[in-house]
Structures are given as structure tokens and as C-alpha cells.
Amino acid sequence: MDPSKWIDVTVDKNHYSLDHFVIPKHYDQDLSSILIPHGVIMDRVQKLARLIVDENDGPLVVCCILKGGHQYFADLINCIKKLTTTRGHSIPLSLEFIRVKSYQNDQSVDVKISLTENELKDFEGKNLLIVEDIIDTGKTMVALLDRLQTYKPKDIKVTSLLIKKTERSNGYIPHYVGFAIPDAFVVGYALDYNEHFRDLDHICVISDHGKEAYAV
Ligand code: HPA
Ligand code: MG
């Protein structure tokens, strides 16, 4: 996706105050600001669904990258289903759920994918849409795409709700991006810090207190 087409929330430094929206009481001390309120996420997901429907017509195998991608995946699928029942052009969807673990080697990243060899072989000739929560360095996604290509899908497209603007990036840009975010650790909308904060609706920046409280 051309960067002019995504929403850059690094430009506007005025993050929302925690007082402006409702956050769960159990996270009172643990967040420093709200970066993207839940309502804005939902509006953006609707637009991403429309881009995907307009640019893809064959059956899609939509692959959710667990765990962080699950909320975006669920909302995106709902929006795509609504569009394909109202816009005359409908896309058959099948759904896959993948856990990806990455291991840094000397020069490259290795990925371990939670699908059997038979499930992976089923990707041959299919159009895959990978749904991820965040592209940070890009290394895991590049390694995952390399692995998936060996199963000869017809096409692979990637959507990530967030892309982090960081010097550690390898330059990878997904086909459909929701928001570019600053180089800070964000949580909420299924993104976690050591498995906490997945139950927060807004995308927020974690505070030093939160980092300490949930450190492992
Ligand atoms: N938040 C949560 N998970 C992540 C992040 C982040 O900022 N970057 C990579 N994984
Ligand atoms: Mg992720």
C-alpha cells in the first residue's frame, strides 16, 4: 500500500488523554495515552474491508495470525461479509488460524507455523489473505511469506492493522495497512504486553508503571 493511503498517527503528537474515553479500571495506572480510540479503529476496518472486496474477486483463504490478530480478523471478516451481501459482488471466504513463532538466527529469522504439513499443502493454488495486528521490524512477516510461498499458493496478500515507524524496520510494507504508529510499545484491541491488555478496546501506549506491573 502506498503510504499516502494509510492514516499516520505519528504526525499528530496529541494522543488522547485517558480521561477522554472509558478504559477498564484495572488498567488505570498502566497506560500513558490513547493512540487510536476503538471507534476510529472500527471505521478504518470498514474501509480496509472495502478495499479488499474491491480488489479481490476469487475465493479467499483468510489467515488469522494468533493471538494478536484475532480482533482485527473478527471485525474485518464481519465487514467483508456485510459488503459482499450488499454490493452485488460476493467473495467466498474460508478461515485459517495460525500461530507463528519466530527465532532469530545469525543472519535470518526462522518461523515455526502451527499448521500440519497437510494443512499447508492445501494452500496450493489458493488466494491467501494474511491478517496481522502489527508489522514492527517486518522480519517475522518476511520469513512467514518465504515459508508460505514454498506451498505454491496462487497469490498472497497481507493486511496489518498497524505498521510501526521504526529504524529497525526491514522495509516490508503490507498490501493493506490501517495506521502507521510511532516507535512505542502499544497494547489493546488484542495486542498484548506479556499476555495482558488484550481485553482493552482502544489502542494505547503502555506506561512505565504498566511495563513494571506486567514484566515477566
Ligand atoms: N505491541 C504489541 N505487540 C507487538 C508490538 C507492540 O508495540 N510490536 C511487536 N509486537
Ligand atoms: Mg502479531
Side-chain angles (χ1 to χ4, degrees), residues 6-183:
W6 64 50
I7 299 174
D8 191 333
V9 296
T10 68
V11 172
D12 181 2
K13 298 270 188 254
N14 299 318
H15 296 188
Y16 299 93
S17 154
L18 298 176
D19 292 337
H20 292 156
F21 296 93
V22 177
I23 59 162
K25 205 165 164 28
H26 52 273
Y27 293 137
D28 255 357
Q29 308 272 308
D30 304 324
L31 304 167
S32 60
S33 63
I34 296 172
L35 188 58
I36 316 171
H38 183 249
V40 177
I41 301 171
M42 296 304 283
D43 288 337
R44 182 63 180 154
V45 171
Q46 198 177 24
K47 175 68 180 191
L48 292 165
R50 178 164 291 199
L51 291 174
I52 290 164
V53 168
D54 286 349
E55 292 177 12
N56 295 276
D57 37 32
L60 279 180
V61 181
V62 192
C63 303
C64 173
I65 307 298
L66 296 170
K67 297 178 183 176
H70 93 83
Q71 193 64 60
Y72 174 39
F73 175 89
D75 290 330
L76 184 70
I77 295 285
N78 271 339
C79 285
I80 293 176
K81 285 195 297 195
K82 273 197 198 116
L83 284 174
T84 63
T85 52
T86 56
R87 298 196 108 208
H89 137 211
S90 79
I91 304 179
L93 304 177
S94 55
L95 312 182
E96 275 296 347
F97 298 85
I98 311 179
R99 282 193 85 157
V100 180
K101 287 225 160 73
S102 60
Y103 305 89
Q104 177 78 50
N105 287 331
D106 287 348
Q107 280 117 26
S108 64
V109 168
D110 264 356
V111 286
K112 199 161 175 291
I113 302 174
S114 70
L115 291 180
T116 64
E117 206 52 29
N118 275 345
E119 287 169 320
L120 287 162
K121 280 184 183 152
D122 251 10
F123 287 161
E124 187 171 339
K126 306 269 174 71
N127 290 313
L128 308 185
L129 175 67
I130 312 288
V131 181
E132 176 66 293
D133 51 356
I134 184 165
I135 301 292
D136 193 316
T137 65
K139 286 183 186 169
T140 301
M141 184 53 71
V142 166
L144 173 65
L145 291 175
D146 280 353
R147 263 297 291 294
L148 292 176
Q149 288 295 358
T150 64
Y151 297 94
K152 301 193 172 56
K154 183 167 168 216
D155 184 39
I156 309 183
K157 288 210 173 82
V158 176
T159 179
S160 180
L161 183 67
L162 308 175
I163 187 168
K164 196 177 277 190
K165 283 198 169 171
T166 164
E167 284 175 2
R168 300 180 305 282
S169 165
N170 64 1
Y172 175 76
I173 293 180
H175 304 83
Y176 305 101
V177 175
F179 304 88
I181 63 161
D183 193 0

Side-chain angles (χ1 to χ4, degrees), residues 134 136 164 184-186 191-192:
I134 184 165
D136 193 316
K164 196 177 277 190
F185 201 84
V186 297
L191 285 97
D192 75 307

